[in-house]
């Protein structure tokens, strides 16, 4: 389709007709009985005019029909239209005796054609199998007229009336199909809107979880380091003022680092700012040395052993960094003053890696419902890459805690 034609605005007359049609349908949905009364009153009036004005005489086979019978048949063929939408089958059945009487007496009232309106509503609202008996009922007066008055051939009378019934049915089926299609589109639009809202809520919840995890990693680790440095500086203040000053310098540096990381995280949340500041990358393997220096300055002795050549993507590097950070933070919190830690990193092909962090500190309870966000956060990060995380006391008789992270090989894309 031509883009110019596709984007062209509708013609004013077409837009006006559509707008008027929508208003009429909306009014009909709000006041269905009022519309049915007006519709029925119009055709009852037309039938009475045909009776009172003698218009029926032009098509009648016999003019010797009593007036009261003509009036009764005219009303019997038009009044049942009031139930055309709610009970079209019953309304059609009510009109059949009057249509047969009109055919038998030879009056051949034009009001009998109103049965086509009821056939249309049957095709619009009822199962299509109901059209078989409806067609038979509508053709019955034609058979009676052909048998009694015998004007014209049978195939002409029945064929022309059957064609009229077919047209009414086709119009009803077409309108019904279009209505069902429109309803299906509206239902699909509602479901898509609901799914969109649900996806937005899930994305919001996931982002909140990610931010909470990052906040925990940043604040928890750095505050633990600051606490360790402050305790060491307090003990060193009386005996070695120089060591106390070094501790204060380390506290200041750790605080600045924590503030910088928090600013980077909070800057991401400022959606209202159009000019975002340049954001530093997330920490990776190259930042492990700085992390270990900060932990050592807090008084925790840490040794490292590396096997293989590191070649991890940024996401896996961040996972390794955060797991090591959380494990060392827990050692600072719970290990005691004489605890030591050891880190073993084993790199394999296709970005596989195994990290083991052990310490010689005091044992501590495993994570539980009230155990904070540290270990659950590490497990969430590990699960993103299909890995495993084990955390618990070292086997007897060894003392301390052991955290083991394993990320398998990357699956081919």
């Amino acid at each position: 389709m031509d883009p110019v034609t596709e984007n062209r605005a509708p013609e004013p007359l077409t837009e006006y007709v559509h707008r008027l049609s929508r208003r009429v349908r909306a009014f009909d949905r709000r006041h269905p009985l009022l519309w049915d009364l007006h519709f029925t009153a119009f055709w009852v009036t037309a039938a009475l005019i045909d009776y009172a004005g003698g218009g029926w005489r032009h098509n009648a086979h016999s003019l010797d029909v009593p007036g009261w019978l003509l009036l009764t048949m005219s009303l019997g063929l038009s009044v049942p239209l009031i139930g055309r939408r709610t009970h079209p089958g019953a309304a059609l059945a009510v009109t059949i005796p009057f249509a047969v009487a009109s055919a038998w007496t030879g009056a051949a009232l034009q009001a009998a054609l109103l049965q086509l309106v009821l056939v249309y509503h049957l095709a619009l609202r009822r199962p299509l199998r109901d059209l078989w008996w409806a067609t038979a009922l509508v053709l019955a007066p034609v058979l009676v007229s052909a048998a009694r008055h015998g004007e014209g051939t049978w195939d002409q009378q029945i064929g022309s009336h059957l064609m009229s019934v077919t047209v009414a049915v086709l119009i009803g089926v077409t309108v019904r199909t279009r209505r069902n299609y429109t309803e299906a589109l509206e239902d699909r639009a509602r479901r898509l809107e609901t799914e969109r809202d649900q996806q937005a809520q899930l994305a919001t919840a996931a982002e909140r979880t990610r931010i909470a995890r990052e906040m925990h990693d940043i604040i928890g680790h750095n505050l633990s380091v600051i606490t360790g440095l402050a305790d060491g500086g307090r003990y060193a203040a009386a005996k070695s003022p120089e060591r106390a000053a070094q501790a204060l310098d380390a506290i200041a540096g750790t605080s600045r680092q924590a503030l910088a990381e928090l600013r980077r995280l909070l800057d991401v949340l400022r959606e209202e700012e159009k000019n975002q500041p340049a954001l530093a990358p997330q920490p990776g393997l190259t930042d492990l040395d700085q992390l270990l220096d900060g932990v050592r300055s807090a008084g925790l002795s840490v040794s490292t052993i590396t096997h293989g050549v590191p070649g991890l993507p940024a996401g896996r590097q961040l996972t390794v960094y955060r797991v090591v950070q959380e494990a060392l933070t827990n050692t600072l919190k719970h290990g005691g003053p004489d605890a030591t830690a050891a880190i073993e990193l084993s790199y394999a092909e296709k970005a596989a890696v195994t990290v083991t962090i052990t310490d010689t500190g005091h044992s501590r309870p495993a994570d539980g419902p009230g155990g904070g966000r540290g270990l659950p956060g590490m497990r969430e990060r590990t699960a993103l890459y299909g890995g495993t995380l084990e955390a618990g006391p070292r086997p007897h008789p060894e003392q301390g805690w052991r955290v083991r992270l394993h990320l398998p090989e990357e699956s081919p894309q």
Side-chain angles (χ1 to χ4, degrees), residues 40-374:
T40 305
F42 173 82
W43 289 112
V44 169
T45 303
L48 293 179
I49 292 175
D50 184 59
Y51 153 71
W56 63 276
R57 297 176 183 274
H58 299 290
N59 299 313
H61 302 296
S62 174
L63 302 179
D64 299 330
V65 183
W68 64 269
L69 183 57
L70 287 171
L71 177 61
T72 302
M73 291 187 297
S74 298
L75 295 175
L77 290 169
S78 58
V79 172
L81 289 178
I82 191 70
R84 63 189 174 89
R85 292 198 288 189
T86 56
H87 303 89
L92 180 62
V94 170
T95 63
I96 295 302
F98 300 98
V100 172
S102 175
W104 181 265
T105 59
L109 294 177
Q110 296 297 310
L113 295 176
L114 294 176
Q115 290 180 318
L116 298 177
V117 177
L118 299 175
V119 171
Y120 161 79
H121 281 279
L122 272 173
L124 185 63
R125 291 178 170 82
R126 301 291 299 168
L128 296 182
R129 62 177 178 269
D130 291 348
L131 296 175
W132 295 107
W133 63 261
T135 302
L137 290 179
V138 173
L139 293 179
V142 180
L143 296 175
V144 171
S145 177
R148 182 169 173 77
H149 302 286
E151 295 185 4
T153 61
W154 285 70
D155 57 345
Q156 288 178 344
Q157 296 189 50
I158 297 177
S160 62
H161 206 71
L162 183 59
M163 181 61 68
S164 301
V165 173
T166 302
V167 171
V169 169
L170 289 177
I171 295 175
V173 170
T174 302
V175 175
R176 179 178 186 170
T177 302
R178 181 176 178 81
R179 179 179 296 177
N180 292 341
Y181 178 71
T182 303
E183 291 176 353
L185 288 180
E186 293 175 351
D187 179 68
R188 182 171 181 268
R190 285 193 296 269
R191 287 189 288 106
L192 288 176
E193 185 176 357
T194 302
E195 291 177 3
R196 181 198 63 191
D197 295 340
Q198 291 175 348
Q199 291 295 331
Q201 294 175 359
L202 291 175
T204 301
E207 185 66 12
R208 288 176 177 173
T209 302
R210 185 191 69 82
I211 293 172
R213 188 167 57 235
E214 294 291 335
M215 294 284 285
H216 171 273
D217 292 340
I218 294 171
I219 297 176
H221 169 73
N222 288 287
L223 286 182
S224 296
V225 173
I226 291 172
T227 301
L229 290 171
D231 290 340
R234 184 182 59 184
Y235 292 126
K239 299 180 180 179
S240 178
E242 294 180 356
R243 295 291 301 274
Q246 293 175 358
L248 291 176
D249 292 338
I251 289 174
T254 304
S255 301
R256 293 189 187 95
Q257 179 184 356
L259 286 175
E261 293 184 10
L262 284 177
R263 288 193 185 99
R264 288 198 298 267
L265 184 62
L266 294 177
D267 284 339
V268 177
L269 305 180
R270 296 176 183 172
E271 299 177 351
E272 69 278 2
E273 294 185 3
K274 295 182 180 180
N275 298 323
Q276 292 278 351
L279 302 181
Q282 291 277 27
L285 297 179
T286 56
D287 300 296
L288 278 179
D289 291 338
Q290 183 180 358
L291 172 67
L292 298 180
D293 290 341
V295 173
R296 292 186 181 110
S297 65
L300 177 63
S301 175
V302 182
S303 61
T304 59
I305 301 176
T306 303
H307 305 283
V309 179
L312 304 181
R316 292 189 172 219
Q317 291 188 35
L318 176 62
T319 300
V320 171
Y321 181 91
R322 291 305 188 194
V323 169
V324 172
Q325 182 186 53
E326 179 64 25
L328 295 179
T329 300
N330 288 336
T331 301
L332 283 172
K333 288 181 180 179
H334 309 288
D338 299 327
T340 61
I343 303 173
E344 183 178 357
L345 298 98
S346 300
Y347 301 102
E349 297 180 353
K350 298 182 180 179
V353 61
T354 302
V355 183
T356 304
I357 306 101
T358 57
D359 64 54
T360 59
H362 302 296
S363 298
R364 45 197 178 272
D367 59 313
R373 298 191 55 86

Side-chain angles (χ1 to χ4, degrees), residues 323 327 354-357 367 375 378-379 382 387-393 401-406:
V323 169
T354 302
V355 183
T356 304
I357 306 101
D367 59 313
L375 291 179
M378 288 194 290
R379 289 195 171 95
T382 306
T388 57
L389 181 78
E390 302 173 2
W401 196 261
R402 175 178 176 269
V403 176
R404 182 179 184 274
L405 165 71
H406 175 69

